Amino acid sequence: MSVEPKRYFLNHYPDHEDGGPSSITITPEKQKEMLDMLVNIVLKNFTKEAKHTDGGLYVGLAGGGYMMLYLSQLPGTESSRQTQYLQEALSFLKRPIQYMQAAGNRQHITDRTGFLTGNVGIMAVAAVVHHKLGQSAERDNALQQILAAASILQEPNWFANGGDELFVGRAGFLCAILWLRKHLNTQVYPDSECHRMLMTMVQSGLQYSKATSSPLPLMYHYYGTQYLGAAHGLAGILLVMLSFPNWLQQEPEVTGLLRQTIDGLAALQQPNGNFPCAMDELSGGRAEEDELVHWCHGAPGMIYLFAKAYTFFNDPKYLDVCIKCGEITWQKGLLKKGAGICHGIAGSGFVFLLLYRLTGDLKYIHRCKCFAKFIFSETFRKARTPDCPFSLFEGLAGTVCYLGDMLAPQQAAFPFFDLI
Ligand SMILES: [Zn+2]
C-alpha cells in the first residue's frame, strides 16, 4: 500500500503518450473562467489594509499590483480594460508606498534594498504601471527611489548576513533592472554601474568560497547557510550573472568561473532530479520525505539557471539537467503548501511551461494542464492554506499569472524571469 507523502499529493494523472493527444481537455474558455474565478477571489480578499502592507512583492499588497499589471498585458485585453487594471494596480501599490515613504531611513536596510521583499520591487512595479499610464513624472520618481538602493548595494560589505541573493541583495536589484529595461526600453541604471555591481558579486563569491574551502569556486551564504536554490541561493545569483551577456563577453575569466560553478552545481543533481537545499545537506542530507521540491528550494527553481546556461553556452548537457528537473516536478510537484508560485503548485506548473518553451514538446502542455486542473480538484481542498493565501509568491495572485500564461504558453514566464 502506498503511504501518503508528507509534502505532496500523489500524482495520479496519466502522463502524455508520445505523439498522442492530451487526455486532459481544458478549453480556452474554461481556462479563462478559471482565471476570472481566481482574480475575483484575490480582489475580494487581498484587502488594502494594514495587515497586508508588509512583505513587498513576495507576500505584500504590491504583489497584487503586479498581478493587475500582468492582467493588463494579457493578449487580447481591450485598452479600456487595460487602463482599469493599471488603475487597480496603483490602488494595490498605494499603501506599501505610503508606508515606505513615511518610514524613510528608519526602515531596515534590507527593506530599502529588497527586490522581492522590499522597496526596489514595489517601486519597480510602480514605475512600469506609471509608464504604461503615461505618467512620466511619477515613473521617474519611482526610478529615483530604486537607484537610492544601488548606492547601498555597491558597498561590498553592506550586509554581513549575505548581500548578494535575490530577495534583498544585489542579484535582486539587478534582476529588477533587467525587468525594468525590458518594460521601459531604457537603461534605467547604466551598464557600467551594473558591471561594477556584478564584479563585486564575483569578488564576494570568490572570497567566501575561499574562506569556507568550498568545492565550488563561487559560493555565497544567507544568514550563514549556503543555500543552493533560486530564492536565497547560488542558482538565483548565477542566473542573474548569466543574464548580462555584454559583461561576460568582456570578462572571459568570469565566464569560466561561472561555468565551473554551474557544472559543480549540476553535479549535485540527485538521481531523482532534485537538488539539495543547501551545502550542509551534502553530508547526511535530508530524509526523502522531507525533500523540498519547490521554486524557492529545489529543482523547480534550479531549472531557470540551467535553462539559461543551455541557451547561453549552447550546450545540451544543461537541457538534460532541465528535463530531469521536470521529471521530479511531475512526480512530486502537486504540493500541499498551496497553489502559489514559491512553494506551491503554480510554481511546479511554471516548470512545464518553461520546458515547453525550451523543447516544443506537447507533453509539457499536458502536464501543465493536469496541474492547473488539480488546483480546482476536491483533493486539493485538503491542502494547507499558506500564510498569505492571496499574495503573489505564496498565494493566488501568482496562480493567476500561471493560468494566464497557460493561455499563451509560447510567451510564458515565471514572474520577473523571462530568460529565454
Ligand atoms: Zn517558497
Side-chain angles (χ1 to χ4, degrees):
M1 216 180 97
S2 63
V3 180
E4 180 69 22
K6 189 163 127 188
R7 296 189 184 273
Y8 60 93
F9 295 97
L10 288 172
N11 184 354
H12 294 298
Y13 291 104
D15 204 359
H16 188 245
E17 305 246 348
D18 273 346
S22 173
S23 54
I24 299 280
T25 326
I26 311 179
T27 60
E29 291 71 31
K30 180 72 189 164
Q31 282 184 46
K32 281 206 182 90
E33 199 186 301
M34 289 153 84
L35 178 76
D36 288 344
M37 189 198 292
L38 295 195
V39 171
N40 288 331
I41 295 174
V42 175
L43 289 175
K44 188 164 167 230
N45 295 284
F46 205 12
T47 47
K48 287 133 191 158
E49 295 174 86
K51 65 175 180 182
H52 292 140
T53 306
D54 267 359
L57 293 170
Y58 189 73
V59 290
L61 280 172
Y66 177 86
M67 180 190 85
M68 294 316 301
L69 169 65
Y70 171 84
L71 290 173
S72 77
Q73 294 169 317
L74 265 187
T77 310
E78 304 144 27
S79 68
S80 59
R81 264 282 173 92
Q82 282 178 351
T83 310
Q84 199 188 326
Y85 288 160
L86 292 168
Q87 294 293 354
E88 185 61 28
L90 286 185
S91 90
F92 269 109
L93 291 161
K94 194 173 165 189
R95 219 176 223 285
I97 293 176
Q98 277 174 347
Y99 174 78
M100 180 189 110
Q101 285 167 343
N105 287 350
R106 283 179 287 117
Q107 274 187 303
H108 190 271
I109 195 163
T110 54
D111 288 338
R112 287 153 62 200
T113 59
F115 168 45
L116 291 184
T117 52
N119 299 355
V120 169
I122 297 169
M123 296 319 282
V125 174
V128 173
V129 173
H130 284 305
H131 178 74
K132 302 224 176 254
L133 286 167
Q135 300 164 342
S136 51
E138 289 87 346
R139 173 200 62 204
D140 293 344
N141 185 28
L143 292 177
Q144 279 309 316
Q145 306 204 40
I146 293 170
L147 298 185
S151 53
I152 303 174
L153 292 163
Q154 288 284 15
E155 173 59 43
N157 301 315
W158 76 274
F159 187 50
N161 294 314
D164 294 294
E165 52 73 90
L166 196 66
F167 277 45
V168 303
R170 287 184 267 255
F173 176 85
L174 291 169
C175 190
I177 296 298
L178 289 172
W179 184 75
L180 285 166
R181 283 180 173 185
K182 192 173 141 196
H183 288 274
L184 303 181
N185 221 3
T186 67
Q187 280 236 316
V188 180
Y189 189 56
D191 264 346
S192 56
E193 290 299 296
C194 291
H195 297 177
R196 186 156 76 92
M197 197 179 285
L198 287 159
M199 284 314 276
T200 306
M201 289 165 76
V202 171
Q203 288 307 327
S204 158
L206 281 172
Q207 278 165 17
Y208 184 76
S209 168
K210 202 170 163 207
T212 56
S213 310
S214 172
L216 300 181
L218 294 173
M219 184 48 72
Y220 301 86
H221 73 104
Y222 190 61
Y223 286 92
T225 300
Q226 297 174 18
Y227 290 108
L228 297 175
H232 297 297
L234 184 59
I237 295 169
L238 297 174
L239 171 60
V240 170
M241 288 179 171
L242 271 191
S243 306
F244 285 86
N246 295 342
W247 169 62
L248 291 171
Q249 210 160 29
Q250 295 163 27
E251 302 289 346
E253 265 183 48
V254 172
T255 309
L257 266 177
L258 272 183
R259 193 159 187 174
Q260 240 182 301
T261 312
I262 292 167
D263 288 347
L265 199 49
L268 300 180
Q269 188 170 33
Q270 297 160 186
N272 70 3
N274 203 26
F275 286 84
C277 259
M279 287 302 274
D280 58 5
E281 291 184 5
L282 294 184
S283 51
R286 261 172 203 262
E288 192 166 352
E289 61 161 13
D290 286 322
E291 181 181 35
L292 301 181
V293 185
H294 301 165
W295 172 80
C296 48
H297 302 291
M302 285 285 181
I303 190 171
Y304 296 90
L305 170 65
F306 290 101
K308 188 76 193 169
Y310 169 53
T311 54
F312 186 87
F313 295 112
N314 197 19
D315 186 337
K317 75 178 178 193
Y318 300 120
L319 179 62
D320 293 342
V321 176
C322 294
I323 288 170
K324 280 204 217 160
C325 288
E327 293 311 306
I328 183 80
T329 308
W330 174 243
Q331 298 299 328
K332 299 189 175 181
L334 292 174
L335 298 168
K336 290 186 173 174
K337 273 193 175 176
I341 60 172
C342 187
H343 33 259
I345 295 177
S348 305
F350 269 116
V351 167
F352 306 132
L353 286 170
L354 174 64
L355 281 164
Y356 172 67
R357 284 189 66 184
L358 286 173
T359 65
D361 190 337
L362 288 171
K363 169 172 84 178
Y364 295 116
I365 294 293
H366 165 79
R367 290 181 172 187
C368 171
K369 285 183 186 166
C370 293
F371 276 41
K373 202 165 173 157
F374 189 78
I375 291 170
F376 293 85
S377 71
E378 271 305 311
T379 314
F380 185 62
R381 284 174 194 267
K382 287 183 269 170
R384 285 190 289 272
T385 307
D387 295 337
C388 300
F390 313 106
S391 62
L392 183 60
F393 273 74
E394 282 200 343
L396 294 179
T399 320
V400 163
C401 301
Y402 172 59
L403 293 180
D405 274 14
M406 275 178 61
L407 291 164
Q410 50 287 73
Q411 296 158 40
F414 190 95
F416 304 104
F417 291 90
D418 188 6
L419 296 162
I420 295 183

